[in-house]
Amino acid sequence: MSFKSIDRLIRRNSKTKLSRNIVDGIYDQKEEKYVQSLRGLLLANNQLPDKFDDYHVLLRFLKMRGFNIVKAKEMFLNMLKWREECAVDAIAKDFKFEEYDAVKRCYPHGFHGVDRFGRPLYIERIGLVDLNKLMQVSSTDRYVKYHISEQEKTLSLRYPACSLVSKKHIGSTTAIFDVKGLGMNNFSKSGRDLFIEIQKIDSNYYPETLNQLYIINAGAGFRALWKVLKACMEARTLAKIQVLGTNYLSTILEAVDPSNLPDFLGGTCTCSATGGCLLQDKGPWTDQEISQASKGVFGKGQKSFDEINTTVACENFPGHQEPSVGKLHPISGWKRTLGMLLKDNQVGDMNENIQQNKVNEQISEKIQELENCSAQTQETLQALLQKQNELANHIEQLRKLLREAINADNKANVLILK
C-alpha cells in the first residue's frame, strides 16, 4: 500500500466511510483481515467507489470466490464495469415498469414478509407462469431491467429495514419457488433463456444475496428440467438450494412462520384486504417511518443510531423471532423510538470511539510495517554495497594477476630471443 493510499485511508475513515457492522458489531477476525486486504488493494488502485466502500459488500465477493482476494477483486471490478455498461444506477432511479400489474397476473411472484431470522421472504409460483402472455405484455429486456431494479431496491431498502427491525445485519433473502406442474414440455426456450440471464446477473453481480432457496412441488418433469438448469449455476449457489416434493411443509416451517406463509403454500396468511399474498410488497420496508429511519442509519454519511430521535412504527411480523425485544412499550403500543428499539446494541459514541481506535491501530500497524520494510531495505542495500566492494577488490586482484602473467610472458620471450 502506498503512502497516498494510507492518506486516503485516513481521510475516508475519519468520515466513517468504512461501514462497520453497526447493528451486531460482531466480526469474524479472519474474514475481517480478508476484507481489509481487499479494501486496501482496491483503494491503492483507486477502484473502490464510495457507494461500495462497505464491509458487507466486499465480504460478499470474497465469500463467492472462496476468500481468494485476486479472484474477488476481479469479480468486483467486473461488477463495476457491468453497472456502468448497463446504466444500473439509472435503472434503479428512473426505470418505470408500467406493465407491473399485468406481469403479476401471468407471473405470480413477490416479497411476502420475513423468515424466522428476519430476512426478506420472496415467493414465485413458477408453475403458473404463462410465458406467452408474459412476452406479450412485456419483453425479456424489460423484465431483466425490472429484475435489476428490484435487486437494487432490496439492497438499498429491504435489507436495511429488516436489519433495523431485527437489530442485526440482514444481507440475504430466503426464497420459495413453487414449480407445481412445471417440466421440460411447458418451459420454453425463451423461459430458459430468461432464467439463465437472471441467474447470471444474480450470481455475478449480486453474489451471496441468497440465503436459501426452497424449490417445492417438484415432480418428475421438473427434476428432468432441473438437470439442465443447474448446469449453468455456481456450486456455491447450488449448495443453497433444496429441491422438495409435495411433502415440503415441515421443512419450510422450520424457516418461515405460518403467518408469513401464504395459505396456498400451507400457511395462514391470505392478504385478502390487498387482493392476494403476492400482489403487495409485504415487509417492514413498506412502513414509511422504518424506511426513512433505515435510510438515515444505513445511507450515505451513516449516523449513529443514538443520534436519530425518530419514532418508528414497528410493524408486527410474528414470523420474525426478534431477539431481546421485550414487552410492548406501555404508552405507545407498537410505537417505539429507535433508541429503545436498538438499546441492546449499545451503538453510539462508544462504538464510534472503538471504530476510530481500530482504524488508528490499523494505520499504526501499516506504519510499523513500512518502517520494518524500510529497515530491511537499508540492510539489503548495505549488504549489496559490501558485496560490490568485495567484487571490486576481487576484480582488481584478478587484473593484478593478469598483469603479472603478461609481464612474465614478455620476459620469457625476451630470453628466448637472446
Side-chain angles (χ1 to χ4, degrees):
M1 180 181 287
S2 66
F3 288 101
K4 182 178 180 182
S5 299
I6 293 174
D7 178 65
R8 189 184 302 116
L9 177 64
I10 294 171
R11 286 186 283 105
R12 294 181 75 166
N13 279 307
S14 67
K15 299 177 181 178
T16 64
K17 289 289 187 179
L18 177 60
S19 173
R20 308 295 296 170
N21 192 334
I22 58 177
V23 178
D24 60 19
I26 300 173
Y27 284 87
D28 181 282
Q29 291 185 351
K30 287 186 177 180
E31 290 181 352
E32 186 168 7
K33 288 181 179 179
Y34 280 109
V35 171
Q36 292 292 356
S37 296
L38 176 58
R39 181 175 186 264
L41 189 61
L42 292 168
L43 283 174
N45 295 285
N46 198 27
Q47 295 173 321
L48 183 57
D50 286 359
K51 179 176 180 178
F52 300 104
D53 188 3
D54 179 275
Y55 179 91
H56 296 288
V57 169
L58 298 180
L59 182 60
R60 287 196 289 108
F61 285 86
L62 283 164
K63 284 184 175 181
M64 194 65 183
R65 287 297 175 255
F67 289 92
N68 183 310
I69 294 176
V70 174
K71 291 182 178 180
K73 178 189 175 185
E74 180 184 11
M75 186 182 190
F76 181 84
L77 295 179
N78 286 338
M79 179 271 295
L80 294 181
K81 182 180 178 182
W82 168 77
R83 291 183 69 90
E84 183 177 0
E85 291 176 348
C86 295
V88 172
D89 289 339
I91 291 175
K93 181 181 178 181
D94 302 323
F95 180 71
K96 305 298 181 185
F97 198 55
E98 291 88 356
E99 60 267 40
Y100 178 84
D101 290 338
V103 166
K104 285 271 189 174
R105 285 192 290 272
C106 58
Y107 187 175
H109 67 279
F111 284 89
H112 191 268
V114 295
D115 68 7
R116 293 185 185 273
F117 189 80
R119 305 179 188 92
L121 176 64
Y122 177 74
I123 299 171
E124 287 192 7
R125 304 186 75 179
I126 302 180
L128 299 181
V129 174
D130 185 339
L131 284 172
N132 292 329
K133 184 66 175 179
L134 177 62
M135 291 299 105
Q136 290 175 10
V137 299
S138 187
S139 65
T140 299
D141 179 66
R142 284 187 59 78
Y143 189 85
V144 167
K145 286 182 178 179
Y146 161 67
H147 179 77
I148 291 172
S149 69
E150 284 294 295
Q151 284 285 48
E152 292 293 303
K153 182 179 178 181
T154 298
L155 291 176
S156 63
L157 179 62
R158 294 187 179 104
Y159 290 160
C162 288
S163 297
L164 191 61
V165 171
S166 64
K167 298 186 290 186
K168 54 181 174 284
H169 174 73
I170 299 294
S172 60
T173 301
T174 294
I176 301 173
F177 286 4
D178 183 0
V179 296
K180 184 178 182 179
L182 185 65
M184 293 290 288
N185 295 333
N186 57 354
F187 199 61
S188 65
K189 182 179 182 301
S190 60
R192 291 195 297 271
D193 291 343
L194 180 60
F195 175 87
I196 291 171
E197 179 64 21
I198 288 176
Q199 169 57 34
K200 174 185 173 184
I201 289 172
D202 291 351
S203 181
N204 292 339
Y205 311 125
Y206 300 95
E208 293 297 302
T209 53
L210 175 66
N211 167 61
Q212 188 76 38
L213 169 59
Y214 300 96
I215 297 177
I216 63 173
N217 289 319
F222 174 80
R223 293 180 187 276
L225 175 63
W226 181 238
K227 291 180 180 179
V228 177
L229 296 178
K230 69 179 184 180
C232 65
M233 302 175 72
E234 299 235 12
R236 187 171 177 86
T237 301
L238 285 171
K240 299 178 181 182
I241 300 175
Q242 288 191 53
V243 179
L244 306 170
T246 55
N247 297 321
Y248 61 83
L249 189 57
S250 60
T251 300
I252 296 296
L253 291 179
E254 290 178 5
V256 183
D257 188 89
S259 62
N260 276 327
L261 193 65
D263 60 347
F264 56 77
L265 295 181
T268 60
C269 185
T270 59
C271 291
S272 57
T274 56
C277 285
L278 300 185
L279 296 180
Q280 63 163 330
D281 192 16
K282 179 182 178 181
W285 52 87
T286 60
D287 184 288
Q288 187 174 1
E289 290 180 319
I290 291 177
S291 175
Q292 290 299 319
S294 64
K295 288 179 181 178
V297 172
F298 295 88
K300 191 172 181 180
Q302 297 167 354
K303 299 179 180 179
S304 165
F305 285 134
D306 290 345
E307 294 174 349
I308 303 174
N309 296 318
T310 309
T311 297
V312 179
C314 203
E315 185 173 348
N316 180 8
F317 291 103
H320 162 224
Q321 296 177 343
E322 189 175 5
S324 304
V325 170
K327 298 179 180 179
L328 297 180
H329 192 263
I331 298 176
S332 57
W334 282 107
K335 294 279 185 176
R336 308 176 71 202
T337 64
L338 268 179
M340 295 167 61
L341 185 64
L342 300 166
K343 65 181 179 180
D344 293 338
N345 296 296
Q346 303 284 320
V347 183
D349 293 339
M350 183 181 296
N351 198 28
E352 288 185 7
N353 290 335
I354 293 173
Q355 280 188 30
Q356 191 59 48
N357 288 338
K358 286 189 176 182
V359 170
N360 292 339
E361 288 176 6
Q362 292 168 9
I363 294 171
S364 297
E365 289 175 2
K366 181 56 66 177
I367 291 172
Q368 185 63 50
E369 181 183 334
L370 291 172
E371 288 177 346
N372 292 339
C373 183
S374 176
Q376 291 173 4
T377 303
Q378 186 67 26
E379 290 176 3
T380 303
L381 287 173
Q382 290 176 353
L384 288 173
L385 288 172
Q386 183 179 352
K387 196 68 176 177
Q388 185 183 31
N389 291 333
E390 291 175 358
L391 288 172
N393 291 333
H394 187 59
I395 290 171
E396 186 58 35
Q397 290 175 4
L398 290 174
R399 285 176 176 170
K400 184 178 178 180
L401 290 173
L402 181 62
R403 287 195 298 268
E404 290 175 352
I406 291 173
N407 290 335
D409 288 343
N410 288 338
K411 289 179 181 180
N413 291 334
V414 171
L415 292 173
I416 292 171
L417 290 173
K418 289 180 177 180

